[in-house]
Amino acid sequence: MNTWKKMLLITGSILALAGCSEKETAARKGLSESDESLITIITQAKPFSVYQLQNVGKEEAEQAVTEKLNLKIPDFLEAIEALTIQHLEADEGLILDAAFYSVSSQEREATYSTAVVMKNEEGLYPIYSNSQIDYAYNAEKGTVYMDVYKLEVINSGATEKYNGGDLQEYIMKLGEQAGISEEDIAGEVELLMAKSEEELKNQYIVLYDTFEKAKEKGVLGKRLRIAYGEKGIPVKIQLYLKDYYS
């Protein structure tokens, strides 16, 4: 093949890639600036291999994500993890007992998950958190994207109290890290905090939910909610991010 033909092939390849990039950008125009920083889209030519690494340290798990799966752990995930640990450690009677990290993959999906467990002076575990990010492989586009991120803070209702730090402060900061504006949830949070334990018994309070609208537009959906137990004590805080990328 002569030099001229090689140049034509190279130029054609560059234009084809540029066209894909422009098409991809156009398809995600519905995203706000804050949501653009939350999503993950990585070019990948082939599916994942089968891989599993369970209950290891943070460094080993992060290395597996980046080196074995060639993926990136989003900055927001790290920020939420640090925020949550700080929130759980706010109770002076609790200590961080363990933090476990796991990584797995199979052909069209990959998962990075964490578990943070707190222990009290009696050796019991009144509160802990789980988080998980699922990546999906899109064979047609040759891309990997963040499909779902979820965080749960689980509080034992048997203790008859919420064992984390300031709940209102945590919810507001959690929303901020998830790209939920203060004005969208501040009013709902204030109303929630004004309710009595009697009013909150066995209630599931949705503070923010854009899943339905996001699905229609093919953008990032967010859901933030709190479940209360039989005594009106928070037993579960949930944050979900779902990218309706297709």
Side-chain angles (χ1 to χ4, degrees):
M1 184 182 294
N2 61 37
T3 303
W4 176 243
K5 287 183 178 179
K6 286 181 180 179
M7 288 178 67
L8 285 174
L9 281 174
I10 292 170
T11 303
S13 298
I14 292 172
L15 289 172
L17 288 171
C20 290
S21 177
E22 288 172 5
K23 185 178 179 181
E24 193 69 60
T25 302
R28 306 315 305 270
K29 275 186 176 178
L31 291 170
S32 64
E33 286 187 19
S34 61
D35 285 359
E36 285 179 3
S37 67
L38 297 174
I39 67 169
T40 297
I41 298 181
I42 301 169
T43 301
Q44 183 164 304
K46 58 183 180 180
F48 296 109
S49 58
V50 177
Y51 181 78
Q52 188 165 349
L53 185 67
Q54 296 290 322
N55 299 330
V56 297
K58 182 181 178 73
E59 185 176 347
E60 185 177 354
E62 288 182 343
Q63 185 175 2
V65 170
T66 56
E67 296 182 9
K68 297 290 185 181
L69 304 182
N70 296 316
L71 293 174
K72 179 181 181 297
I73 298 172
D75 292 339
F76 81 82
L77 190 150
E78 297 284 352
I80 288 177
E81 180 182 355
L83 172 65
T84 300
I85 291 176
Q86 182 182 31
H87 175 67
L88 298 181
E89 290 181 325
D91 188 325
E92 294 181 358
L94 298 178
I95 60 170
L96 178 60
D97 182 63
F100 303 103
Y101 299 81
S102 299
V103 182
S104 63
S105 65
Q106 54 178 351
E107 194 173 8
R108 298 202 174 203
E109 59 187 43
T111 298
Y112 171 64
S113 60
T114 71
V116 176
V117 183
M118 306 301 295
K119 183 167 69 174
N120 63 17
E121 295 172 350
E122 289 76 36
L124 301 177
Y125 304 91
I127 194 167
Y128 63 93
S129 71
N130 291 321
S131 71
Q132 180 172 311
I133 182 167
D134 295 333
Y135 301 88
Y137 175 65
N138 187 316
E140 292 182 2
K141 294 188 176 182
T143 56
V144 170
Y145 66 99
M146 180 195 80
D147 182 26
V148 178
Y149 167 78
K150 59 184 177 181
L151 166 75
E152 290 189 334
V153 175
I154 312 296
N155 180 63
S156 172
T159 62
E160 299 188 7
K161 70 169 187 173
Y162 181 67
N163 295 280
D166 186 300
L167 182 59
Q168 182 171 355
E169 179 184 25
Y170 176 62
I171 291 298
M172 294 304 297
K173 288 184 177 179
L174 190 59
E176 180 183 353
Q177 293 298 335
I180 302 172
S181 68
E182 182 177 340
E183 62 182 18
D184 283 338
I185 60 169
E188 294 291 334
V189 173
E190 287 180 9
L191 287 173
L192 176 64
M193 297 303 159
K195 291 185 178 181
S196 67
E197 291 180 356
E198 185 66 29
E199 292 176 293
L200 291 169
K201 284 183 177 180
N202 299 314
Q203 296 294 307
Y204 225 132
I205 308 296
V206 178
L207 296 171
Y208 191 80
D209 191 340
T210 61
F211 270 28
E212 189 174 336
K213 289 182 179 179
K215 185 176 182 180
E216 292 175 0
K217 297 179 179 180
V219 294
L220 186 67
K222 305 171 188 181
R223 179 178 291 157
L224 179 57
R225 58 190 185 183
I226 305 178
Y228 287 81
E230 294 181 355
K231 297 185 178 180
I233 304 297
V235 293
K236 189 180 293 183
I237 301 168
Q238 295 177 312
L239 171 67
Y240 292 89
L241 302 179
K242 165 68 178 174
D243 192 358
Y244 288 97
Y245 170 79
S246 59

